[in-house]
Amino acid sequence: MNRPQRNTAIVWRHEAGRERELLAAQQQGEDISEGGTVILVHQGTMHQLNLLGGEIWLRCDGERSLEQIINELAGEYEVDRGELEQDVRDFVADLEQRGWLIDG
């Protein structure tokens, strides 16, 4: 997938308040891996994306390339670049397989 884009058939919303809470908890050293910041509804089922998943989802606008998304996230998170890149590619591939992302 070159330019991931959210499928317009997916209903979603960004929980900005929840994101602020999770970021504050993360700064205090709490485990936030289970906290969601983006809610998706597909075929009557609600799905929650964690902080990183939500960050990826928000950037999948069909304008940014996958490489641009990875570069943006690498600039925001202090993680191994190779690990981040693999995580982003795997996540995008999973959402593409589900039909939630299309190539923009």
Side-chain angles (χ1 to χ4, degrees):
M1 176 169 291
N2 192 25
R3 294 191 180 277
Q5 181 175 344
R6 297 177 297 266
N7 184 335
T8 58
I10 305 296
V11 176
W12 65 280
R13 89 172 167 252
H14 176 225
E15 298 286 331
R18 179 70 176 138
E19 182 175 324
R20 286 189 296 276
E21 291 172 2
L22 288 173
L23 289 171
Q26 182 181 41
Q27 288 179 344
Q28 295 194 7
E30 296 178 32
D31 178 17
I32 61 164
S33 60
E34 298 298 317
T37 61
V38 172
I39 306 298
L40 309 174
V41 179
H42 179 65
Q43 297 179 342
T45 303
M46 189 179 336
H47 304 271
Q48 180 175 292
L49 302 180
N50 66 16
L51 186 62
L52 181 58
E55 290 289 332
I56 296 167
W57 178 262
L58 292 173
R59 288 172 167 81
C60 290
D61 56 9
E63 299 294 322
R64 294 174 176 99
S65 70
L66 188 54
E67 196 64 33
Q68 286 173 306
I69 293 170
I70 293 166
N71 287 337
E72 287 178 17
L73 293 170
E76 291 184 24
Y77 292 92
E78 295 179 19
V79 296
D80 176 72
R81 166 70 187 219
E83 185 178 332
L84 174 69
E85 183 172 351
Q86 190 60 53
D87 288 348
V88 172
R89 290 185 185 282
D90 289 347
F91 183 76
V92 167
D94 180 52
L95 296 189
E96 180 182 21
Q97 182 179 10
R98 294 172 187 247
W100 298 358
L101 291 177
I102 58 174
D103 199 0

